[in-house]
Amino acid sequence: MTMPLARRLLAPLLTVLLMAGLLTAPEPARAADGRYAADIRRTEYGIPHISAKDHGGLGYGYGYAFAQDNLCVMASWALTLRGERSRHFGAEAMSDDASDPIPNLASDVYHKSVHASGVLRRVLARPAPHGPSAELRALVDGYVAGFNRYLSDTGVDRLPDPACRGKEWVGPITATDAWMNLLDLGRLAGTSRLKEAVAGSGQAAAKAERVTAPGSNAFALGREATRGGHGMLLADPHFPWNGIRRFYQVHLTIPGVLDVSGGSLYGTPMVQIGHNASMAWTHTVSHAHRFTLYKLKLAPGQRTTYLVDGRPEPMGRQEVSVTVRGAAEPVTTTLFTSRYGPVLATGWTEEEAVALADANVANLRFADEWLAMGAARDVAALRRAQETYQGMPFVYTLATDVGGQAYFADASVVPHVTDEQAERCRAEDDPRMLILDGSTSACLWGKDADAIEPGVFGPAAQPRLVRADYVANANAGPWLTNPEAPLTDYPDIYGNVRTRLDLRTRVGLDMIARRLSGDDGLGAPGFTLETLQKTATGKRNLSAELLRPGLRALCRAKPVMKASDGTKVDVRRACATLAAWDGRARLGSRGAILWRELFLALNGPQRRPDGSLAPPTSWWKVPFDPERPLTTPRGLDTTHPVVQTALADTTRYFTTRDLPLTLTPGQAQRYGSVAVPGCTEAEGCFDRIRTGGPLGEEGRYPDVNTGSSFLMAVELTPAGPRTRTVLTYSLSANTASPHHADQTELFSRGGWVTERFTEAEIRAYPGLETTSLRNR
């Protein structure tokens, strides 16, 4: 009997699912008329304000400014996108994708296969809105030309960043590199997350241990939630702190056309999260599926032919050759494709195989969508932009405007699989994943009349909510975007309803409720810009709020507890430390790290009497109740055996290593030399951070590698926006730059940058530096 596909193929990939060129590079891009002009003005913390008369010039200035700060990151990523890492760094070294590092050979095979597929060429040949607009093409070309202008002016041997100064692999980037970066960003929650399975490297199981999904928090506050009666927005994306998926803070202006400021992912010439004079928006990662898997029924005795409606279809075949440093011959890999998409190398038997169908496989529409959103004057115009392009690849959108309208939508690209079709076509009875029957055309994705293309849901099916009070999301499903108006009428593929909320979502909704009632100690009810900042960075730990009362009672009753190996441990000092802890994750919060390690132990596998490990069972006193989703589960079941064992084991870990039980986030968490406050989302922390590994013997975690990245609080007033920001890892990846850690130190202290948006504000900066660019 064949092992079920979900166990054989997807068990090692489940963590990924739940989060879930062979072409010759062209010459560096130039404008059609050969002319570019832009001005770059830098204010506090090196933040660039770029202005130009057209999109080509704007891209030129942006590409130049970005190269000044982060040329090495993009130069390395260009090698990745071309499939050339093995040639320069060897096949076994890990790639530079901070969100999903895999061996260079697997990375190269995957990226060369994308080039060879011709997908980019086909998308670029399409007219807007299916392909890029003329404005977007000019922006990309200008960006590439500006980046290369800086490299030419400076020279590889004189680059200020020691990471790539003088390296033979550094060179000009191309428009193809820029487009491939955008294409890869669109696939981030789909094919790009399964590169090893597509490339056939056999490393998929190992990758499942490494990959974690990006997250985010967002509030869009309407006129009824703010003291001033205008819209306010909190953006708190949680993206990697290293590599190409970092945000770059930038202000982009074409007079009379575009004036937008915010966070822009590395290598992309447009703002993804930001505001203009009268509208602000942000994103959080959506719970919707981006792809489905199709189980293929192979024709008898033909391993590369599958059956659809009883008729045989041969698989496509792709030979990918990768040059490897030190190897006499290129390494050649054979990949296979189907009508649905690539055939995964994992899980292939004599009877069946699995194909991956990704709704974003040929999507660049989101780039034009972001451009249009940046120019939208209000929520209504933003919504029109989303309905025109229908390209958001994997995120929810939350927005507000000066009129005080708050908007939420999952306007992302989602495979058209209705609940009925999912039930009828499900090839594996596993509710955690969507594996469809590939042997019948009746299981192909469906069509909507209002969708921009076949196979995806149109706007009418998308979860949407417009409110005058607020909408909020912290990567939960759309269900309780606003608990006063639950969203339930959408296909299951968008996410579940009436399911348990994670603690980060609960604490975020509680923060809003307390601010609107005035019960949070921050003054009169309703948000101001200042109370929005304080709310967002309060460093609350909801798990501690819910569980410490029960723990205190247990500590009074049991001063000595048994560790997992039966050893008796005196826990009185640990109990006293946790009782005295302020319940926050500030730099100096004494006991915050002890609590984290205890909470991790509570949630870890439990040891059976025979020594084997079992999945954790619930120790909540009050279980989840879908009728009370904001307050359940809660309380600590002190009779559960794991509770005493976890506290004893955690206490012993600290004492046997001479670690202080009062260890603080400021002592245990760093990004380089800078102490970092905050705690993890599992604990119920809102502005969360995540470290690169467990607590070490010396009482330090590996460096913070993801978490709150570009914090932005905006109040939209009739007189213009009032904005506070902080880029947690700072503007430049160059360790020699004065802007490598300056905002990180600000973030560490709890500070914010007062944004300069108007012309008068920019000119008023006493240290203003201006660079006027004209291409030669």
Side-chain angles (χ1 to χ4, degrees):
M1 181 178 293
T2 303
M3 180 184 295
L5 183 66
R7 291 177 58 195
R8 188 179 72 252
L9 167 64
L10 292 178
L13 294 177
L14 183 57
T15 303
V16 180
L17 297 178
L18 296 179
M19 305 265 141
L22 293 180
L23 299 178
T24 302
E27 291 298 313
R30 296 187 182 278
D33 61 2
R35 294 189 297 273
Y36 290 121
D39 290 326
I40 304 168
R41 293 178 293 176
R42 291 188 182 260
T43 55
E44 291 96 334
Y45 301 95
I47 298 169
H49 305 257
I50 299 159
S51 59
K53 65 180 181 179
D54 54 30
H55 287 83
L58 191 66
Y60 191 66
Y62 188 4
Y64 190 97
F66 179 78
Q68 287 179 307
D69 294 315
N70 296 294
L71 183 139
C72 291
V73 177
M74 188 63 193
S76 176
W77 186 243
L79 297 182
T80 302
L81 295 169
R82 298 170 191 168
E84 295 180 354
R85 298 201 66 80
S86 298
R87 172 186 171 189
H88 295 279
F89 308 116
E92 301 302 321
M94 299 301 286
S95 71
D96 61 344
D97 188 341
S99 63
D100 184 14
I102 63 175
N104 282 338
L105 181 59
S107 175
D108 290 343
V109 169
Y110 169 78
H111 286 289
K112 280 186 174 289
S113 75
V114 176
H115 277 280
S117 72
V119 61
L120 180 60
R121 181 181 65 253
R122 292 191 295 272
V123 175
L124 293 180
R126 302 187 72 184
H130 299 277
S133 66
E135 293 81 4
L136 178 59
R137 293 172 194 268
L139 188 68
V140 167
D141 284 350
Y143 183 89
V144 170
F147 184 97
N148 292 338
R149 164 73 182 274
Y150 173 77
L151 179 61
S152 175
D153 287 352
T154 307
V156 174
D157 293 334
R158 297 187 304 276
L159 290 172
D161 191 344
C164 69
R165 182 191 304 132
K167 302 297 185 182
E168 51 83 23
W169 48 266
V170 178
I173 64 171
T174 70
T176 296
D177 296 329
W179 291 117
M180 288 294 290
N181 180 46
L182 288 167
L183 191 70
D184 190 70
L185 174 61
R187 297 176 171 197
L188 186 61
T191 308
S192 184
R193 288 278 175 177
L194 298 173
K195 291 190 290 286
E196 287 174 288
V198 172
S201 69
Q203 300 295 319
K207 184 184 74 167
E209 298 295 324
R210 299 193 302 270
V211 176
T212 54
S216 301
N217 301 318
F219 298 166
L221 306 172
R223 55 187 174 273
E224 294 179 0
T226 63
R227 297 281 298 279
H230 308 295
M232 297 178 65
L233 183 104
L234 172 70
D236 180 17
H238 300 163
F239 264 56
W241 280 32
N242 301 291
I244 199 66
R245 299 304 176 209
R246 294 194 352 160
F247 283 98
Y248 185 77
Q249 189 171 358
V250 69
H251 181 191
L252 302 174
T253 302
I254 302 174
V257 176
L258 183 70
D259 192 13
V260 61
S261 182
S264 171
L265 290 169
Y266 279 22
T268 67
M270 71 288 296
V271 169
Q272 280 87 30
I273 289 175
H275 72 90
N276 53 38
S278 57
M279 191 276 297
W281 84 95
T282 187
H283 300 292
T284 60
V285 175
S286 162
H287 266 217
H289 289 260
R290 304 298 146 200
F291 62 90
T292 65
L293 298 175
Y294 278 95
K295 182 193 284 188
L296 305 181
K297 181 181 180 181
L298 300 181
Q302 301 183 56
R303 200 166 182 269
T304 60
T305 299
Y306 59 101
L307 302 175
V308 179
D309 298 333
R311 293 187 293 273
E313 290 189 10
M315 295 179 185
R317 184 184 181 97
Q318 194 181 55
E319 300 287 340
V320 177
S321 294
V322 174
T323 300
V324 176
R325 186 183 64 184
E329 299 290 339
V331 175
T332 299
T333 303
T334 302
L335 306 181
F336 294 90
T337 62
S338 69
R339 64 157 61 189
Y340 307 106
V343 179
L344 304 185
T346 309
W348 208 324
T349 72
E350 295 300 321
E351 294 84 25
E352 61 188 38
V354 180
L356 169 65
D358 187 345
N360 284 300
V361 71
N363 177 21
L364 290 177
R365 299 187 304 277
F366 57 84
D368 266 307
E369 189 167 334
W370 274 319
L371 272 184
M373 288 165 60
R377 301 298 179 91
D378 53 27
V379 164
L382 177 142
R383 183 169 181 169
R384 287 194 296 272
Q386 294 202 314
E387 292 181 353
T388 297
Y389 293 100
Q390 300 181 32
M392 283 295 105
F394 54 86
V395 289
Y396 300 128
T397 300
L398 295 91
T400 189
D401 56 26
V402 70
Q405 190 172 63
Y407 167 79
F408 166 89
D410 190 347
S412 62
V413 179
V414 177
H416 193 293
V417 180
T418 65
D419 296 350
E420 180 278 329
Q421 186 183 26
E423 181 66 25
R424 171 170 47 84
C425 292
R426 193 180 293 273
E428 291 282 344
D429 189 18
D430 190 327
R432 301 170 299 175
M433 55 196 76
L434 192 53
I435 314 166
L436 304 180
D437 182 358
S439 69
T440 171
S441 58
C443 294
L444 289 168
W445 297 346
K447 301 177 182 179
D448 272 349
D450 62 339
I452 194 168
E453 60 182 19
V456 299
F457 281 107
Q462 296 167 350
R464 292 174 183 256
L465 187 63
V466 178
R467 300 280 297 180
D469 52 358
Y470 73 89
V471 293
N473 189 265
N475 301 124
W479 175 35
L480 294 182
T481 294
N482 184 310
E484 297 299 317
L487 290 168
T488 58
D489 188 19
Y490 50 84
D492 285 347
I493 197 169
Y494 279 95
N496 296 322
V497 300
R498 298 177 61 80
T499 55
R500 174 176 161 180
L501 302 176
D502 62 79
L503 293 180
R504 177 160 61 95
T505 294
R506 285 175 59 183
V507 77
L509 292 172
D510 186 65
M511 286 157 49
I512 294 175
R514 293 191 184 197
R515 179 80 298 270
L516 296 184
S517 67
D519 292 337
D520 58 359
L522 296 178
F527 281 94
T528 64
L529 182 60
E530 291 71 24
T531 57
L532 179 58
Q533 293 173 251
K534 290 178 181 178
T535 298
T537 56
K539 303 293 187 283
R540 283 178 60 185
N541 187 312
L542 185 59
S543 64
E545 296 173 17
L546 296 173
L547 299 174
R548 273 203 301 176
L551 187 67
R552 290 191 188 102
L554 178 62
C555 285
R556 288 192 296 268
K558 298 279 291 185
V560 177
M561 301 179 187
K562 285 186 179 181
S564 55
D565 64 356
T567 303
K568 292 183 178 180
V569 179
D570 187 329
V571 299
R572 285 176 293 183
R573 287 180 54 235
C575 289
T577 297
L578 293 174
W581 169 42
D582 63 8
R584 306 278 174 152
R586 302 183 177 109
L587 285 180
S589 294
R590 295 161 60 87
I593 302 304
L594 178 63
W595 177 263
R596 182 184 308 174
E597 293 303 307
L598 169 59
F599 192 75
L600 289 172
L602 283 172
N603 286 280
Q606 298 166 20
R607 193 169 297 279
R608 299 185 179 96
D610 63 1
S612 62
L613 296 178
T617 56
S618 178
W619 34 257
W620 290 102
K621 186 174 184 179
V622 179
F624 171 70
D625 180 353
E627 300 301 322
R628 297 171 179 80
L630 302 182
T631 57
T632 60
R634 66 177 182 271
L636 184 65
D637 178 4
T638 56
T639 66
H640 195 294
V642 75
V643 176
Q644 293 187 38
T645 299
L647 181 56
D649 285 347
T650 303
T651 301
R652 188 170 60 172
Y653 183 90
F654 277 72
T655 56
T656 58
R657 291 161 177 80
D658 292 324
L659 299 179
L661 296 169
T662 56
L663 192 65
T664 67
Q667 294 167 327
Q669 295 174 170
R670 290 285 192 277
Y671 183 68
S673 62
V674 181
V676 177
C679 50
T680 65
E681 60 189 323
E683 296 170 79
C685 298
F686 186 72
D687 51 331
R688 62 94 163 167
I689 56 88
R690 187 179 290 165
T691 62
L695 185 67
E697 300 276 336
E698 73 290 350
R700 284 274 298 275
Y701 293 104
D703 268 14
V704 171
N705 62 6
T706 187
S708 293
S709 45
F710 175 62
L711 282 160
M712 180 180 73
V714 186
E715 180 181 15
L716 299 164
T717 78
R722 298 178 61 227
T723 309
R724 306 291 183 266
T725 66
V726 62
L727 189 64
T728 58
Y729 34 66
S730 304
L731 198 68
S732 176
N734 174 11
T735 56
S737 169
H739 306 304
H740 175 67
D742 51 356
Q743 288 199 61
T744 312
E745 293 169 354
L746 183 70
F747 174 68
S748 177
R749 301 191 301 269
W752 297 70
V753 179
T754 298
E755 183 191 72
R756 297 178 184 272
F757 184 74
T758 67
E759 186 66 20
E761 290 167 342
I762 296 169
R763 288 183 176 179
Y765 178 59
L768 189 67
E769 298 178 357
T770 302
T771 302
S772 293
L773 292 175
R774 305 293 183 271
N775 70 315
R776 294 188 287 269

